[in-house]
Amino acid sequence: MGALQQVLFGTGLLTFSAMIHVAAVALSVPFFGKLAARLPPERWPRLRIIALLALAVFVLVFAHTLQVWTWAVSFLAITDLPGLSTSFYFATVTYTTLGYGDIVLGPGARIVATFCAITGLLTFGISTAFLIGVLTRILPDVFRDDQGT
């Protein structure tokens, strides 16, 4: 695959992955409202924190895992990696920007791999913002309860 093809393919996968992540976060928002309504802060403040944070982490882990699988299948299709497990390992190490370097792609897919790393950086940033948003919604209730106000 030529450089321009790799840029276009990588851009497409990055866009698709970002859409997966944004959709997972956006589609989970109504569930937060329902769960928060069932666990009023005045009755179950600690359980409410645990449940809402657990839901947030579950949504994010699901979204990241789905993205890594997308990249793994793509790497398997465009490279000569020996199997799905190796491709998944490479995608995970690249997506998290850990980059051990024990598996190196040939020139026909190196640029695509950089887009995998950019996707991880972007979506981990979205994940961080999402978790901060969840925390700012639930912690003021807890602080009010703990201080008796």
Side-chain angles (χ1 to χ4, degrees):
M1 193 180 307
L4 180 59
Q5 290 172 312
Q6 289 185 66
V7 168
L8 293 174
F9 187 72
T11 300
L13 279 172
L14 186 154
T15 302
F16 180 72
S17 292
M19 288 181 358
I20 288 172
H21 205 77
V22 169
V25 168
L27 293 173
S28 71
V29 170
F31 294 104
F32 282 95
K34 290 176 184 175
L35 184 59
R38 289 180 187 229
L39 299 170
E42 58 277 353
R43 187 155 183 203
W44 294 299
R46 301 290 183 237
L47 180 61
R48 185 172 192 250
I49 292 172
I50 293 167
L52 291 172
L53 283 177
L55 177 60
V57 169
F58 173 78
V59 166
L60 296 175
V61 168
F62 175 77
H64 285 293
T65 302
L66 190 57
Q67 291 171 80
V68 169
W69 276 109
T70 301
W71 282 99
V73 169
S74 298
F75 285 132
L76 189 61
I78 67 168
T79 66
D80 58 354
L81 292 173
L84 188 57
S85 64
T86 302
S87 184
F88 182 81
Y89 167 77
F90 177 79
T92 304
V93 168
T94 304
Y95 181 85
T96 59
T97 68
L98 184 59
Y100 284 130
D102 54 342
I103 298 173
V104 179
L105 299 183
R110 286 182 188 155
I111 296 172
V112 175
T114 63
F115 279 92
C116 179
I118 293 167
T119 301
L121 287 170
L122 174 66
T123 56
F124 281 120
I126 293 169
S127 296
T128 302
F130 178 65
L131 285 174
I132 295 298
V134 169
L135 286 170
T136 58
R137 285 285 294 177
I138 61 176
L139 287 182
D141 295 337
V142 172
F143 288 131
R144 256 182 274 138
D145 290 340
D146 287 346
Q147 295 172 4
T149 58

